[in-house]
Structure formats: structure tokens, C-alpha cells
Amino acid sequence: MDGADGAAPRTNSSADGQYGSACDTALSTLLAVAVYVLVKASLDGIRQWRARISVLVVGSGPIGLTAALVAVRTGKVLKLTVLDERYRTALLCRPQQIALDPHSVRFLLGLGVDFDNMEGCWHNEHFFTKIGVFQEYLLSILEQKKQKVDVKVHLGTKFTDEYLRRIPSGEWPRVIVVADGSCGDSCSVLGISSEYIVESCHAYGANATIERLDQRQVPTPEIRAHSLYFDLSAYGIDAIKEPRSSSQASAKPGFHLKIYGTFRNRYMALACTSADSKMMRFLRHTANSSIMKNIFHQSFNAYKTDIEPRLSELTLQRMQCSRKLFEIMLSHRRVCAAYIEGDNVAVTVEGEAVRVLNFDTGCGVNLGMRGLESLGMFIYKTATAQDQNDVFEALSAKIQHSKQVAETFRQTGLATTMFE
């Protein structure tokens, strides 16, 4: 009994030793895992902090140069190259006026744009300037960024298969931003499908333009007029204010007019919702091209500024306008981003190269600016990606945002640019 009684403590002592050893092993394992996770997180953080990539922007219009500015502001770009087949003189002498809406103004302010140092004017929180002036300002900012980023602007250089073949295999950009406009062919060079989705904006419109060489070429606020009806009684059409359908109850009735551009290059846009009125049906199907010209003529003289001359029969001959009302359509690429697997390149398409309206509102640049709002995060995620899956996630998010931009404009874009 004494022997048995003496054996029990030794058994308990052995069990306690084994339990303590197991606890030490588990604690050591947990400590090792924690150290590994901490070191890995630190290394990942350092890797992400140090990650820098090369970016190529094709196109140096307002959207292309803004995309270049977005890229350098991410802090993840080591080398930035901007290409455009046009030369500097052709770029900076463009007289057309652009109107940056409040949303775009806030976006550009966040990129460091100083509107006080740019020729232009303010009206209703919109900033009006000439395209050439805007591009020259952005080029000057990129010039200043050369102290931190290797920025190269190659004007007079076209993006072609030959250009790509000249790039050494190890020096391809990680990100290519295509912003060469609706007539560019950079997407075809990269093998991106040219298929478009064309959708109605549920409205009809017409455009007109007139150049008057004796007038000033300075930024000018736009003019809007609403609820217009035209006297077409000479053509058997009464200007009866017909009731609106319930689907268009939020829009003001009648036609909406916008006059914009400089005094020298004046543009006009006329739009109405797709309500089925007798007047709208007539203007959609008329074969008499002088009717729309007379409408624009009378509308301009009625709503122009007091300090600019009226349109006369002589100046009217220089007016170009739509022959009749047409359905306003938004076209956007079915493929707006892609991945070139062999060269590990992520491509995104921006501006009018990816979505374009067949109706000029004078505010088209803002649609392109909306697409650029996700470009900074796209470049950041691509630069810090650990594998292809991370790049695919960045591409997926960019594609979703691009589709959202198109759908939002299709639903509300004309309301903000024309109907309000």
C-alpha cells in the first residue's frame, strides 16, 4: 500500500510536466505565428509603401492630362509617359470652350488645380475656360512634377504597333490609360474590342454652331432657357402646351435651350424630353432643313447676352445646325478595361474613348472626369498587387465604376446639363 501510495505523486508529477511542456510548445507556436504575421504585415506594408510602377497615358486632351495628374498624385508612379499624335501648337491653340461643373471643380481642386491661376470665368459654381488654356495649365503642373516623378510628354508621337515593338520587353508600363477620344484607334492597337452599347437618354435634341471672326475669343458663361414653344403655325403645327406623361413629370415642359462657347465660336443646344407631342413629331421627321435654322436663329436673338450682336441674315449663312431633332444616345464600350497577360499590363479606357454622347451640351468633359474618379485607386491597387488576382480585382472595380458612370448619366445627365 505504501508503494502504491508513493507511485501516485510521481504519476501526477509526470502528467504535470507533460502538460507544462505542451503549453510551452503551444505558446511558442503562437508566438512564432504572431511574429510571422507581424513581420509579414510589416514587410507587406514596406513593399506597398515602396511599390512604384510605370504608367503610359495615350492622349493629351483634358481627360488624358487629368489622368496623368491623377497618376502622379497617387505616389505610386515611378515613370509617367504621355503620348499624343498632335503637336504642342495644335493642342494649345484649340479655341473651344469647356465648362467644368461643381463636381468636376471639386475633383480638380483635390488634385491641386488652382483655378485662380487659369484664364476663365465663374458662373453658378461652374468654371468656363478654353480647352487650350486648360491643357497648357495641366502641362505646366506635370512639368513641376518632374522633380519627383520621371515625366515624359511626347507630342507628335502616335501610339502604334511600331511604338509598342520599340519598348524593351522589361520596360513595358504596368498601366496604360487610353484617352485618345472617340476617333482614336489605340484600343484597336491593344486588341480591345470596338463593340459599343448604344442606349437612349429618353430625349431628343439638335445642335447649332456659328463662327464670327469679328468677335472676342474669351471664356463666357453659358445661357439657359426653359419651357420654350415655337410658332410653327405656318407649317400647320399649333404651339399648344400638351400635357406631359407621368414618366416625364419631373422635367420642365417644352424645349430647353443652351447657348455656350466664346462670342467668336458660339454653340447652341436644343433638347426636349421624349414626350410624344405633335410639335416634337414634326421636328423629328421634317425634311425642311430651314426650320431648325430659323428656330436657332430666333432663339439666339431672343436669349443672347446684351453685349453681343444679333444674328442677321448675313451671319445666318455661316450657321451650321442639325437638319431635324434626333434621339439623344449614349454609346459606351462593352469592354472598358483589359489585362494583357503576357506583358502583365492593365489597361483602362477613359473619356470619349470609352463613352460618348451624340449630342453636344458644352459639358462633355465632365462625363470624362467622372470616370477618372476611380483611376487613382485603380493605379494604387495595381501597383501594390501581389498577384494577378489582385490586378483582376482592381480591373473589376474599375469596370463596375465605368458602367455606373454611364448609367448615371443616361438617367440624370441631361437633367443637370440641359433641363435644370
Side-chain angles (χ1 to χ4, degrees), residues 267-338:
Y267 299 86
M268 286 174 278
L270 189 70
C272 63
T273 58
S274 56
D276 191 23
S277 70
K278 185 184 295 185
M279 179 179 292
M280 191 196 71
R281 289 196 301 271
F282 175 76
L283 293 176
R284 282 178 55 198
H285 300 292
T286 180
N288 189 345
S289 60
S290 64
I291 295 177
M292 290 305 304
K293 180 169 284 191
N294 289 332
I295 287 176
F296 279 116
H297 180 196
Q298 296 173 18
S299 299
F300 180 84
N301 287 339
Y303 294 100
K304 69 175 185 63
T305 63
D306 294 335
I307 60 175
E308 64 180 317
R310 295 168 59 86
L311 289 182
S312 64
E313 292 298 330
L314 181 61
T315 54
L316 188 61
Q317 296 177 4
R318 295 198 294 270
M319 177 189 288
Q320 297 180 344
C321 70
S322 308
R323 296 174 61 87
K324 55 187 177 181
L325 287 181
F326 55 84
E327 187 173 9
I328 300 175
M329 310 287 284
L330 178 67
S331 302
H332 53 99
R333 283 186 180 271
R334 188 174 295 277
V335 178
C336 58

Side-chain angles (χ1 to χ4, degrees), residues 238-416:
D238 297 326
I240 301 175
K241 298 182 180 181
E242 302 182 38
R244 289 172 286 168
S245 64
S246 58
S247 63
Q248 300 294 340
S250 60
K252 296 178 182 178
F255 287 83
H256 306 263
L257 173 73
K258 180 190 283 189
I259 302 173
Y260 54 99
T262 64
F263 282 2
R264 179 175 296 182
N265 297 98
R266 259 328 199 185
Y267 299 86
M268 286 174 278
L270 189 70
C272 63
T273 58
S274 56
D276 191 23
S277 70
K278 185 184 295 185
M279 179 179 292
M280 191 196 71
R281 289 196 301 271
F282 175 76
L283 293 176
R284 282 178 55 198
H285 300 292
T286 180
N288 189 345
S289 60
S290 64
I291 295 177
M292 290 305 304
K293 180 169 284 191
N294 289 332
I295 287 176
F296 279 116
H297 180 196
Q298 296 173 18
S299 299
F300 180 84
N301 287 339
Y303 294 100
K304 69 175 185 63
T305 63
D306 294 335
I307 60 175
E308 64 180 317
R310 295 168 59 86
L311 289 182
S312 64
E313 292 298 330
L314 181 61
T315 54
L316 188 61
Q317 296 177 4
R318 295 198 294 270
M319 177 189 288
Q320 297 180 344
C321 70
S322 308
R323 296 174 61 87
K324 55 187 177 181
L325 287 181
F326 55 84
E327 187 173 9
I328 300 175
M329 310 287 284
L330 178 67
S331 302
H332 53 99
R333 283 186 180 271
R334 188 174 295 277
V335 178
C336 58
Y339 181 70
I340 304 176
E341 188 169 0
D343 299 293
N344 193 26
V345 178
V347 181
T348 177
V349 191
E350 303 293 342
E352 290 192 344
V354 68
R355 65 188 79 83
V356 62
L357 195 67
N358 67 339
F359 176 69
D360 186 15
T361 65
C363 297
V365 68
N366 298 295
L367 182 57
M369 291 290 176
R370 299 295 184 273
L372 295 181
E373 292 176 359
S374 60
L375 179 62
M377 183 57 66
F378 171 71
I379 292 175
Y380 182 90
K381 287 183 176 180
T382 303
T384 58
Q386 297 187 41
D387 50 36
Q388 281 190 3
N389 289 332
D390 291 342
V391 177
F392 292 156
E393 287 183 9
L395 284 166
S396 177
K398 193 74 182 71
I399 291 169
Q400 288 301 116
H401 180 254
S402 184
K403 291 180 178 179
Q404 180 184 349
V405 168
E407 182 60 21
T408 299
F409 182 87
R410 197 175 70 85
Q411 297 293 338
T412 64
L414 288 177
T416 57

Side-chain angles (χ1 to χ4, degrees), residues 90-377:
L91 281 174
L92 304 187
C93 290
R94 299 172 69 187
Q96 295 87 353
Q97 178 173 291
I98 57 174
L100 297 166
D101 64 18
H103 195 120
S104 294
V105 168
R106 291 192 294 270
F107 175 64
L108 290 167
L109 285 172
L111 296 176
V113 172
D114 183 3
F115 289 96
D116 292 336
N117 288 326
M118 193 188 313
E119 179 191 357
C121 64
W122 292 93
H123 181 70
N124 289 339
E125 299 183 328
H126 288 64
F127 185 76
F128 302 89
T129 187
K130 291 186 291 185
I131 294 181
V133 170
F134 185 69
Q135 292 174 144
E136 185 173 22
Y137 176 83
L138 292 182
L139 283 171
S140 68
I141 293 182
L142 291 176
E143 187 71 25
Q144 297 169 12
K145 298 295 182 181
K146 288 184 176 181
Q147 299 175 358
K148 297 182 178 179
V149 179
D150 181 12
V151 178
K152 289 183 172 61
V153 179
H154 298 306
L155 302 181
T157 303
K158 186 174 176 60
F159 183 73
T160 61
D161 290 320
E162 178 61 28
Y163 176 87
L164 289 176
R165 282 194 292 269
R166 291 200 306 267
I167 301 177
S169 58
E171 297 181 14
W172 268 62
R174 283 290 305 281
V175 171
I176 297 178
V177 181
V178 177
D180 58 351
S182 58
C183 298
D185 55 3
S186 300
C187 285
S188 63
V189 172
L190 293 168
I192 296 176
S193 170
S194 59
E195 186 178 357
Y196 278 82
I197 299 172
V198 182
E199 297 179 293
S200 173
C201 293
H202 309 296
Y204 290 86
N207 287 114
T209 178
I210 185 168
E211 183 179 23
R212 299 175 294 179
L213 298 177
D214 59 334
Q215 296 299 307
R216 298 178 301 162
Q217 191 73 282
V218 295
T220 307
E222 64 186 22
I223 301 168
R224 297 192 190 191
H226 305 287
S227 302
L228 305 185
Y229 291 87
F230 307 111
D231 183 6
L232 301 180
S233 56
Y235 305 97
I237 304 298
D238 297 326
I240 301 175
K241 298 182 180 181
E242 302 182 38
R244 289 172 286 168
S245 64
S246 58
S247 63
Q248 300 294 340
S250 60
K252 296 178 182 178
F255 287 83
H256 306 263
L257 173 73
K258 180 190 283 189
I259 302 173
Y260 54 99
T262 64
F263 282 2
R264 179 175 296 182
N265 297 98
R266 259 328 199 185
Y267 299 86
M268 286 174 278
L270 189 70
C272 63
T273 58
S274 56
D276 191 23
S277 70
K278 185 184 295 185
M279 179 179 292
M280 191 196 71
R281 289 196 301 271
F282 175 76
L283 293 176
R284 282 178 55 198
H285 300 292
T286 180
N288 189 345
S289 60
S290 64
I291 295 177
M292 290 305 304
K293 180 169 284 191
N294 289 332
I295 287 176
F296 279 116
H297 180 196
Q298 296 173 18
S299 299
F300 180 84
N301 287 339
Y303 294 100
K304 69 175 185 63
T305 63
D306 294 335
I307 60 175
E308 64 180 317
R310 295 168 59 86
L311 289 182
S312 64
E313 292 298 330
L314 181 61
T315 54
L316 188 61
Q317 296 177 4
R318 295 198 294 270
M319 177 189 288
Q320 297 180 344
C321 70
S322 308
R323 296 174 61 87
K324 55 187 177 181
L325 287 181
F326 55 84
E327 187 173 9
I328 300 175
M329 310 287 284
L330 178 67
S331 302
H332 53 99
R333 283 186 180 271
R334 188 174 295 277
V335 178
C336 58
Y339 181 70
I340 304 176
E341 188 169 0
D343 299 293
N344 193 26
V345 178
V347 181
T348 177
V349 191
E350 303 293 342
E352 290 192 344
V354 68
R355 65 188 79 83
V356 62
L357 195 67
N358 67 339
F359 176 69
D360 186 15
T361 65
C363 297
V365 68
N366 298 295
L367 182 57
M369 291 290 176
R370 299 295 184 273
L372 295 181
E373 292 176 359
S374 60
L375 179 62
M377 183 57 66

